[in-house]
Amino acid sequence: MNRFKTSKFKNTTPKIPKKDGWIGNVRAGSFSSQGNHIKASSSLVAFNTEQAGGGMVGLSSVEPGSDGKWAVTQIACHADVVTDLDFSPFDDRLLASCSVDETVKLWRVCEPEQEQPSGAEVTLCPGQGRLELVLFHPTSSGLLALGSTKGPQLWDTSRPDSALAVLEQHGDQLQSLSWKQDGSLLASSCKDKMLRVFDPRAQLTSVQSASSLQSNKDSRVLWVRDSDQLLTTGFDTMRSREVRLWDSRKLTSSLGSVSLGTSSGTLIPLFDPDTGLLIVSGMGDSVIDCFEVTSSQPFLSQVSHCLTDAPTRGVAMVPKLSLDILSCEVMRVLQLTDNCIVPISYHVPRKSGLEFHADLYPDTLGSTAAMTAEEWWKGGNKPVETVSLNPDKRPKPKTQPANQTQPAKKELTSGKSKEGGSTSSSPLSTPTSSAAPSRSPSSTSGLSSGFLPSPSPSQSAKALHTMMGPSSKFRHIQGAVMHRDTHFTNLKGLCLTTPGECDGFCANRQRLAVPLAISGGQIAIFELSQPGKLPDTALPTIQNSVNVADFSWDPFDTHRLAVAGEDAKIRVWQVPEGGLTETLTEPECVLQGHTEKIYAIKFHPLARGLLASSSYDLTVRLWDLATGEQVHLLTGHQDQIFGLGWSPDGKLLATVCKDGRVRIYDPRKSSEPIQEGPGPEGHRGARVVWVCDGQYLMVSGFDSRSERELYLYSADSLSSGAVANVPTDVSPSTLIPFYDPDTNVVILTGKGDTRVYIFEIVTEAPYFLECSSFNSTEPHKGLAFLPKTECDIPDVEVARGLRLSKTNIEPISFKVPRVRKEFFQDDVYPDTAAWWESSLTASAWLSGSNSQHRKIKLRPKDMAPVSEAPKEAPVRKYLPSSHYLEEKTDEQKKDELLSAMVAKLGNMDDPLPQESFEGVDEEEWL
């Protein structure tokens, strides 16, 4: 745009559809890679998903199905995180993916409703380490540009034995690649701040290069149309994000720039060569900017500033052939968020639906390759033929026959791959099955009834189990934040630096304790019966005099709080009835014995006043709070102790350690472990909890690639290793487990996460049954759960938690959707243990006594169990087919029509209302 000429795109407006127009059922991953995390062809959308540790790719369609909804499926692509994706510009169903596992794979994908291929068409193994980028050539079929850690390569997929060309190595991490529109040149940006332009057919070194970028943070590069101009996004010397325009023939100075403010998210640019519109979106941002790029001053002019409902995880542009031309849609952007894909349409306001606006839609690049990779490599420079976007002249889309067989799988390597064997889907993957057989009237039995014979419930369950595998009755569990009246708001000064072994905060059925970022290791106490906005003034606190390492409420005394400090001491505090009214400075008792900082503390589940603690001195000590003395010392650890866990019967104590071992102790018999086995390989942290009535140990930790994973061990044979493991995602924080022994449901989340994972654990394969997860809008700093008696039983609430955020504390209700809520759901609520009542003293347990909690019933007195509810008679949802198939005569149709009209008009013999009116006397007229 210039001063005297107005652009026809200056009023281009982004339109975000309602939520029913979004692609749901998406679990996007937040992985660190140089890709855009989502790509689109004219018909399909592929995106990164966190399932299987990032080795799977999600697949959906650009347009919804006939029911107005989008189907979403997953493909098990790689053995490690998928770093980049790209669709062929000449084949809507040819998808390329690259990964940390050092391979590139080409997939012939199908519609999301269909069964996806089990193997790749072609597998390339460049053998030069982790791959970050994959990019199809814009004019030649079967030609790929790959970006490894420090250099680009060119590959002809028809000759996968070796690379076509290996270009010069870069000085640091390669950050982006871009082909010129005519396919003659390749541009790259690098962490060494250099922009490079390659002519691969002329020389393997760059033909132009300059230290053009001002920061080594993530950058992107794009060619502008078929010109000599380059566009980059990155950071300036003050770490402000910026967009710059360059002349590729003179990279020493830019033609123009636009600053987009300070933020840490990488800017992703998308350019439409037909309109000259540029989309810029930052990772983690909730805004998408649109600019128009011109060849004269000002080179970059902002067109729109679109605010989105959720942070961006990736963006992609839909090809022109998929746009709604008659509504003047000039561009469509797909925004990938944590839970959905949002299609954002850009429209030019005109009288739409009447005619084709040729000035908005020049001929665009077609979908037929101009030449093969071999022809291009030998010097060919044919352009791709353009096609008209006029609906009357548009070419018909190519369709693949439904009965076309999948091509044979090729796996040709030139180097050694890290991936061994075939890739199988993870337990977390969505099961895919063959298309269901059609149910035509000719294939049904009993045509007059209009129904297929109904299988018995047991047969249905068996059939479902056979097709889909076992499923949890809690799979549809729903988490929801409770009403704002129950929140604690205006929380100030929260301590965000508690150690990883600490849960962040703790709660019992009466009150909760929250650490504050105030000198002296202060802890605020809030009464659950007094929610609301907290005062701006200082609160009475518990003052520990040293930083807090971990803290825990006594399960049998809602007033007693044990706090472990960094001075290797444990202070036990007594909170007065009704909560704190003044600052406490004197603890009830102080436990001393550890010689180094304490990691974690855990109260005994049965014995009153018995506490276990772990420390940097590599010991676990047991304390009797009644005497304030140490009663047992457990040894055998070779490194930091990540977590402790008492068995449900209180006899054994399990630990997980940084030395990669899981141990079980019987403290009353030996100071050495009675069992020991291999634990998680990662060294970031771990937690351990006993599950399934003490038959198994569940450990949440990290694998060798620092990906979060859940492990299940048999308590009788630790040395045999894990009987099952499930990858979850990639994140630096340890997943903290909260286990419900009544339902065998474990709820997990990490500090700083926005997602809460839920699994049911069973005693047979696959052991972990994934349920619906809960997602919050902002990261939480901790999660704590209340006793089962606090749940709303008539509303089928199975757990109630408290979520700590930076400024609020919110109750979260986890409910199981049921139809007949007027009955007590006895399959969900077995008799529960009154774990808040002690069954023996510490001295009795130390002398060898054992006990167990008494059980209480959760059924309200006015509710009958659903197992005793009368069976409901099946309701016929549809009329018999004979009703629809019976042919009526013309006379019958006429009688029915007359009867309906008479019924609508009413009975003609009824007297009119005015007939019942009476006249007035003549005198009244005077």
Side-chain angles (χ1 to χ4, degrees), residues 534-549:
L534 300 174
D536 293 325
T537 57
L539 298 169
T541 61
I542 293 175
Q543 201 167 60
N544 288 280
S545 72
V546 295
N547 290 338
V548 174

Side-chain angles (χ1 to χ4, degrees), residues 69 136 150 158 271-272 332 573 665 681 716 816 888:
K69 297 181 180 179
F136 275 100
K150 290 188 178 182
S158 64
F271 183 70
D272 178 15
R332 189 184 306 168
W573 302 86
Y665 291 84
E681 298 179 17
D716 295 329
V816 176
K888 296 178 181 179

